[in-house]
Amino acid sequence: MNLKLRNTQVARRNAGFAFLVFFASVISWRSLLAAAVAAFHNDQYSHILLVLPVSVTLLFLERRKVFRNMAYCLPAGLVLFLLAMAFLWVARYPLVLGQNDTLSLRMVFFVGWCVTAFVLCYGIPAFRIAPFPLLFLFLMVPIPELVLERTIGLLQSGSTDMTFLMLKAANVPVLRKGFVLSLPGIDIEVAKECSGIRSSLMLFTVGLVLVQLFLHTAWRKGVVLLLLFPMAVAKNSVRIFTLSTLGIYVDPSFLNGDLHQKGGIVFFAVAVGALMLVIWFLRTTEKKTAKERSPQYP
């Protein structure tokens, strides 16, 4: 194909995709603004700030392969029409949902529209080249309230259990009643605010990106993803254990000092370091396996 003609086709597809995304942004501007405000002011949404830059960067890195496999997908146009009708219907007859769940529904519409617009303009073969950066966009959708509450509950329970075991292993006198750990002179409650939901969601987001960048076999990716929740619990438990023991044996001010208020980044960095070690080990075994399976010539 003539290079000039191909560049013209790419430009037309890019313009069409940009127009569709702009159209969805105009319709959804209130939801986008609400999601951005929530991401800046609510710990449970801070991971959203990473999603769009990461997705755009990964898609940019795959651009040559994407533009090599372009084809219009007309059925995606029908899906776009149905999405538009569904959004208009919900806008006219809003569902009885909480503020968070309403925002989740509207963000699902926006992201679904963008992904479908990509398929319409570039085709299914192009989507198959870069499914991760496109589907990764769905992390922009705020977690529905019910799922969020259940996740916080699991983190809260898991953190309490592991912290209790760590204190027992360290021979620290401790009694447990629900989410309250009674230590010499103090009672520590692992409240919802102490569940580590913010750093856990951030760890999950970072883990997805690292897995995509450095691992290729499905089962190895699955192993890392299954480890993310235990690692989130362990990270939070180590933080609670550290603050508790420092508060008892060193200085009670540790329980309300800078390490408690601003030290989350330290424990998050340790968790990311542990995650990278796991990925490095799996990547090493992956390379070794690939080398062993490659044909050997005398």
Side-chain angles (χ1 to χ4, degrees):
M1 181 185 295
N2 183 275
L3 181 61
K4 184 177 180 180
L5 177 61
R6 181 175 179 81
N7 290 338
T8 302
Q9 290 183 350
V10 171
R12 287 177 179 175
R13 293 173 192 271
N14 290 343
F17 177 66
F19 172 78
L20 290 172
V21 172
F22 175 76
F23 176 73
S25 301
V26 170
I27 293 177
S28 306
W29 73 270
R30 294 181 185 275
S31 301
L32 294 173
L33 180 61
V37 170
F40 277 107
H41 295 94
N42 194 319
D43 290 349
Q44 299 166 359
Y45 302 127
S46 57
H47 67 284
I48 291 177
L49 298 173
L50 288 177
V51 175
L52 185 59
V54 169
S55 182
V56 170
T57 300
L58 293 177
L59 195 58
F60 178 78
L61 294 175
E62 297 287 348
R63 67 190 185 283
R64 295 185 184 277
K65 294 180 181 179
V66 169
F67 291 153
R68 193 183 304 149
N69 297 274
M70 295 185 302
Y72 287 110
C73 181
L74 296 182
L78 175 61
V79 175
L80 282 179
F81 175 76
L82 294 176
L83 281 172
M85 291 301 100
F87 182 79
L88 291 174
W89 187 88
V90 171
R92 187 173 181 180
Y93 305 101
L95 301 177
V96 183
L97 297 172
Q99 184 177 1
N100 179 76
D101 291 348
T102 299
L103 180 59
S104 298
L105 182 62
R106 290 177 176 175
M107 288 300 294
V108 165
F109 163 78
F110 174 75
V111 176
W113 177 282
C114 292
V115 173
T116 309
F118 180 92
V119 176
L120 171 64
C121 296
Y122 301 105
I124 293 178
F127 174 80
R128 288 174 177 167
I129 295 297
F132 179 82
L134 293 169
L135 298 180
F136 186 74
L137 286 171
F138 279 98
L139 288 181
M140 292 176 63
V141 177
I143 302 174
E145 199 66 38
L146 179 61
V147 177
L148 185 61
E149 287 296 320
R150 294 287 178 85
T151 303
I152 291 176
L154 288 173
L155 287 169
Q156 193 179 4
S157 178
S159 298
T160 307
D161 291 339
M162 187 171 290
T163 304
F164 179 74
L165 293 175
M166 292 172 67
L167 290 168
K168 281 288 190 182
N171 291 321
V172 178
V174 58
L175 294 175
R176 176 183 175 182
K177 186 176 181 180
F179 296 130
V180 177
L181 300 173
S182 297
L183 302 170
I186 58 170
D187 288 338
I188 296 176
E189 180 183 3
V190 185
K192 290 183 178 181
E193 294 77 10
C194 302
S195 65
I197 183 65
R198 175 188 182 182
S199 57
S200 297
L201 289 173
M202 194 69 75
L203 181 65
F204 177 75
T205 305
V206 171
L208 282 176
V209 176
L210 292 177
V211 162
Q212 176 65 20
L213 290 176
F214 297 110
L215 296 178
H216 300 92
T217 51
W219 74 266
R220 288 181 173 86
K221 291 182 178 182
V223 167
V224 176
L225 296 180
L226 288 175
L227 286 175
L228 286 177
F229 182 79
M231 291 180 71
V233 172
K235 167 208 40 96
N236 203 39
S237 301
V238 169
R239 183 182 183 185
I240 299 171
F241 172 82
T242 302
L243 291 171
S244 301
T245 51
L246 287 175
I248 294 172
Y249 297 113
V250 180
D251 189 335
S253 64
F254 277 107
L255 296 172
N256 296 297
D258 289 341
L259 187 60
H260 178 267
Q261 301 295 333
K262 304 175 183 179
I265 186 65
V266 176
F267 297 95
F268 175 76
V270 172
V272 172
L275 175 62
M276 292 181 69
L277 282 176
V278 172
I279 292 176
W280 171 81
F281 173 75
L282 291 173
R283 181 176 171 84
T284 301
T285 62
E286 191 174 61
K287 288 182 176 180
K288 184 178 179 180
T289 302
K291 186 176 181 180
E292 291 173 349
R293 291 181 178 178
S294 62
Q296 302 293 324
Y297 299 100

